[in-house]
Every structure is written in structure tokens, then in C-alpha cells.
């Protein structure tokens, strides 16, 4: 739900000063499979738009807060029923630490820790059946980023995360 790594390397001009606030706007899609305890699965796809603010601390942990809107998506049950997301919101808080600044072909590397939560409502296609959806997760991530010029930052990221998902399936939570 929130960006996979920390604050970007210097975008344009001098390096950010400690304490400077960086703002970002992003859009993304999440695709995964939810596994329930009774051997049932549902494929999840979420689309979101989010706004983040982070305080730069080059020599320490940089805090970041995110708020966003779940703009769409669906849950598809194994049996074929689909449930559309009718909107919702998300919040996240994270800490990022730059492990290396990178130079030339060597990437900048950072570590991120985060806690996030999302709330939305789903509606089964072809019916008026609605159900609440909520999820929370705790995660850790590592990102390697290669600045190209002053405004483009391709990256590779890896994350480990976990947390509860609550959704009503056939009348059961």
C-alpha cells in the first residue's frame, strides 16, 4: 500500500537538509492471493492513490506518513464469485534508513519498516450483497535504486510482510 523503500536520492539541486519535508503522490496496484484457514483462497487486486510526507534525516531514520484512497479493485473467490471494491481508504506510517548513498553504477540502498491499514467495502457482482474489508500489515523492505539524471529513479525492491485481513465470505468472517 505504501512505497516499497525510503525517500529518493537527491532529485534536483543540493542534497536535502536534515529535517526537510519531502512530499509525494503515487498510484499503484496490489495483486496477491488471500488464503483462509479452511483451505479457501481469493485473489485480491486493489488500486490506490496515496499522498505521503516524509521528514529527511540522512544520518538516521526518516519518518513517513501516508494517507490514500482505494479507488477500485476486486476479490475473486475460487468458486468464481467476484466482489468489487466500492471505495475505501488507507493509512500508513513508516521509517526509512539510507544504508548507502550509491555512486556511479553502484545503487543507493535503503531499509524500510512500516505499519499500514486499509478499510473498504465490497459488493458482489450482480447482487446488492455488501461486505466490509479491512487489512493491516507490518513490513520490512530493502530497495536498491539507480538514479538516472535528476528526475528518474528506477529501483528493485523486496519486502517481507504479514498481518490480518478481515472480510466476510459467505456469511463468515
Amino acid at each position: 500500500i505504501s512505497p516499497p523503500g525510503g525517500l529518493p536520492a537527491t532529485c534536483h539541486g543540493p542534497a536535502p537538509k536534515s529535517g526537510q519535508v519531502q512530499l509525494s503522490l503515487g498510484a499503484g496496484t496490489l495483486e496477491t492471493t488471500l488464503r483462509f484457514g479452511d483451505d479457501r483462497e481469493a485473489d485480491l487486486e486493489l488500486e490506490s492513490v496515496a499522498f505521503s510526507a516524509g521528514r529527511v534525516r540522512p544520518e538516521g531514520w526518516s519518518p513517513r506518513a501516508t494517507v490514500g484512497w482505494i479507488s477500485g479493485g476486486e476479490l475473486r473467490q475460487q468458486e468464481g464469485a467476484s466482489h468489487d471494491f466500492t471505495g475505501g481508504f488507507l493509512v500508513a506510517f513508516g521509517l526509512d534508513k539510507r544504508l548507502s548513498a550509491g555512486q556511479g553504477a553502484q545503487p543507493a540502498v535503503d531499509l524500510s519498516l512500516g505499519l499500514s491499514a486499509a478499510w473498504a467495502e465490497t459488493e458482489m457482482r450482480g447482487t446488492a450483497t455488501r461486505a466490509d474489508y479491512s487489512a493491516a500489515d507490518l513490513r520490512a523492505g530493502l530497495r536498491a535504486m539507480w538514479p538516472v539524471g535528476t528526475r528518474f529513479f528506477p529501483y528493485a525492491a523486496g519486502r517481507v510482510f504479514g498481518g490480518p485481513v478481515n472480510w466476510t465470505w459467505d456469511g463468515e468472517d
Side-chain angles (χ1 to χ4, degrees):
I1 296 176
S2 59
L7 303 170
T10 303
C11 292
H12 184 68
K17 296 177 184 173
S18 186
Q20 181 178 351
V21 174
Q22 289 185 330
L23 306 176
S24 63
L25 178 65
T29 299
L30 164 75
E31 293 184 32
T32 191
T33 299
L34 301 177
R35 290 186 175 86
F36 296 88
D38 54 3
D39 295 328
R40 295 193 291 178
E41 294 183 353
D43 292 326
L44 168 68
E45 182 180 308
L46 276 180
E47 293 118 28
S48 65
V49 176
F51 172 78
S52 295
R55 184 166 298 276
V56 176
R57 295 201 171 116
E59 302 304 320
W61 289 93
S62 298
R64 176 179 27 89
T66 302
V67 295
W69 174 54
I70 296 172
S71 56
E74 69 176 321
L75 273 163
R76 290 178 304 279
Q77 293 173 274
Q78 289 172 314
E79 297 83 20
S82 289
H83 304 260
D84 293 317
F85 281 90
T86 59
F89 64 97
L90 59 95
V91 295
F93 177 76
L95 294 169
D96 307 308
K97 181 162 179 64
R98 177 65 42 92
L99 300 178
S100 69
Q103 196 170 26
Q106 184 180 22
V109 178
D110 59 38
L111 172 68
S112 64
L113 303 172
L115 176 64
S116 64
W119 298 268
E121 187 174 63
T122 65
E123 182 176 305
M124 182 184 274
R125 284 190 191 153
T127 73
T129 304
R130 292 178 177 255
D132 291 331
Y133 169 91
S134 64
D137 72 38
L138 182 62
R139 74 187 69 165
L142 190 63
R143 177 180 69 168
M145 177 178 47
W146 295 266
V148 177
T150 60
R151 300 195 186 255
F152 184 60
F153 304 96
Y155 64 87
R159 283 182 162 175
V160 293
F161 61 92
V165 173
N166 297 301
W167 178 58
T168 303
W169 183 333
D170 295 334
E172 296 180 36
D173 283 336

